[in-house]
Amino acid sequence: MSTITPHLWFDTQALEAATFYTGLFPDSEITSSGVLKDTPSGDTEMVSFRLWGQDFMAISAGPQFTINPSISFLVNVDPSRVADARAEVDRLWAALREGGHVLMELGEYPFSPRYGWVQDRFGVSWQIMLTDPEGEPRPPILPSMLFVGDAAGKAEAARALYTGLFPDAEPGNLVRWPEDSGAEQAGTVMFSDFRLGDTWLTAMDSSDGGHGFGFNEAVSFVVSCADQAELDRYWAALSSIPESEQCGWCKDRFGVSWQIVPAGFERYLSEGTPEQVQRVVAAFLQMRKMDIAALEAAFRG
């Protein structure tokens, strides 16, 4: 089963942000950290961490890309699983709002008695929601894609592509915008969720032209592949913009960024000697699609 991990690109704050998040969310920890020397972005800080059971990766690699709300993280606080869930919503909201920017005020909405959307002081967006305990169970944290601008109206097509590509996928819920939705295009996706392997994600359309943001490399999804054949298959299906292909990164036809990497890639960088890491970095900086045999040869020297 392929592993999908959200990846956050920061200017300089990757470890600071990871430390803040792991101190805030339950069942959280930093699992590894280190620095890659002499990359095109200079010395690049890398950190892997887990928040409430959801794995994340992050780098400090300069100001080239800025995180925006096109990909946020939906936090489901389920009263059947969390003691005093309403107070937990308020606690998370207060911490994430401090120094940040409110996108939707915390309050009662038709879909939740307690919900708010906030962009924290690091630029990462969170949707904090008191969940209906009678609904279908979902993980506490779900990456959430908002299809806007040129991608508006394409959430359903993206959902179909992803669930058709990843093994053991499940389509989940799909709710469409009704006819009386104002600026939103009737029939497009108001909310959907789906499972890819063991990762649940959500996707929504918004035709409102005032967003001023869209998908970029600042939030990407890392797909860990068991072998070259699996890596090649994902790359062929997801890479649609040749000029975005670099070091295992690609963009699909909706503008979402992916990193298609071998399953042992993080081990090369976190467990190798400085000489091994330097050889691996030098090798993958020359690649567009990753070549597992070449990376293994560089690691072995």
Side-chain angles (χ1 to χ4, degrees), residues 5-64:
T5 306
H7 185 280
L8 308 176
W9 178 300
F10 295 96
D11 183 359
T12 61
Q13 313 96 329
L15 184 58
E16 180 186 357
T19 301
F20 170 66
Y21 299 144
T22 54
L24 175 63
F25 288 96
D27 186 23
S28 301
E29 63 175 338
I30 292 175
T31 53
S32 69
S33 64
V35 176
L36 294 182
K37 300 288 187 180
D38 302 323
T39 76
S41 298
D43 291 350
T44 301
E45 184 177 61
M46 302 178 59
V47 57
S48 296
F49 56 102
R50 184 172 299 115
L51 303 180
W52 215 341
Q54 171 63 57
D55 287 329
F56 285 80
M57 301 172 70
I59 56 173
S60 292
Q64 293 92 326

Side-chain angles (χ1 to χ4, degrees), residues 22-129:
T22 54
L24 175 63
F25 288 96
D27 186 23
S28 301
E29 63 175 338
I30 292 175
T31 53
S32 69
S33 64
V35 176
L36 294 182
K37 300 288 187 180
D38 302 323
T39 76
S41 298
D43 291 350
T44 301
E45 184 177 61
M46 302 178 59
V47 57
S48 296
F49 56 102
R50 184 172 299 115
L51 303 180
W52 215 341
Q54 171 63 57
D55 287 329
F56 285 80
M57 301 172 70
I59 56 173
S60 292
Q64 293 92 326
F65 307 112
T66 301
I67 298 172
N68 68 57
S70 60
I71 298 181
S72 61
F73 297 94
L74 177 62
V75 181
N76 284 319
V77 184
D78 186 340
S80 68
R81 299 180 181 183
V82 178
D84 203 355
R86 190 181 185 93
E88 180 67 358
V89 167
D90 291 352
R91 184 186 72 85
L92 294 170
W93 176 263
L96 292 167
R97 179 177 180 173
E98 185 175 354
H101 172 65
V102 173
L103 302 174
M104 292 178 67
E105 284 287 355
L106 182 66
E108 183 174 353
Y109 293 86
F111 51 85
S112 173
R114 197 72 171 160
Y115 168 92
W117 192 342
V118 64
Q119 191 170 22
D120 69 27
R121 63 181 182 266
F122 301 106
V124 180
S125 294
W126 305 87
Q127 300 180 62
I128 314 297
M129 184 167 70

